[in-house]
Amino acid sequence: TAAGIPARSPYLPGHRAADTTADARNQAAGAMLDSLGPRAAWRADSVWTDLKTDLRSVPAGRLIAIMNQGYGASLGVTCAFCHVPGHYAREDSTWKHVARDMMAMNTRINQELLAAIPNLRGPNPVVNCTTCHRGQVKPALNLGEASPR
């Protein structure tokens, strides 16, 4: 290596440090998909009868993807943040209830509030979990210091 710099740096494009949270979440999602087999194409509420959100009608495999990417990645958490692995129907997680309330808020923002802004440009503007959370459990509350222009 020149000047003591390793030839392959983890900071070079295409080389990033391992994300063990994402790895764990992806592994759990993959295992759940594998366990579904052909039931992955069935309506989610025909696979899991305890669902309490508007996601009941999506295919079961899609629900797993939504939970993995839409919720898990957006908040930077594993499934165990809201669920007890192997006992996903349990209702003792406060975070599970918060997620449902946030989903209702998100639906209202997208269907009612954004739709009521007359000069909002662009087809179907939407907000989602990532809009505020940006991979963190706690949403961003400020932008930090402004950079000089």
Side-chain angles (χ1 to χ4, degrees):
T1 62
I5 299 172
R8 296 182 63 104
S9 168
Y11 303 105
L12 295 174
H15 298 86
R16 61 184 199 112
D19 184 343
T20 56
T21 300
D23 290 344
R25 195 180 57 250
N26 290 331
Q27 185 176 16
M32 286 191 75
L33 277 173
D34 289 346
S35 73
L36 287 176
R39 296 181 306 149
W42 297 3
R43 276 180 56 120
D45 60 0
S46 68
V47 175
W48 302 289
T49 58
D50 60 310
L51 295 176
K52 294 176 174 58
T53 71
D54 291 340
L55 297 173
R56 291 184 294 265
S57 63
V58 302
R62 180 162 163 73
L63 177 63
I64 292 170
I66 290 168
M67 297 302 286
N68 184 15
Q69 292 301 311
Y71 291 91
S74 293
L75 276 72
V77 297
T78 66
C79 307
F81 186 75
C82 293
H83 298 281
V84 176
H87 304 280
Y88 293 94
R90 285 182 55 175
E91 290 291 324
D92 51 349
S93 169
T94 301
W95 294 114
K96 187 186 248 189
H97 297 282
V98 169
R100 288 182 187 136
D101 291 341
M102 296 290 279
M103 178 186 259
M105 177 193 72
N106 185 64
T107 299
R108 181 165 182 243
I109 290 170
N110 287 327
Q111 293 178 358
E112 297 174 33
L113 303 176
L114 287 178
I117 301 174
N119 293 316
L120 190 59
R121 301 202 194 304
N124 303 319
V126 297
V127 298
N128 59 32
C129 302
T130 304
T131 304
C132 299
H133 285 273
R134 307 268 181 200
Q136 303 295 317
V137 171
K138 185 176 180 180
L141 299 176
N142 62 53
L143 297 175
E145 288 195 35
S147 58
R149 291 186 175 242

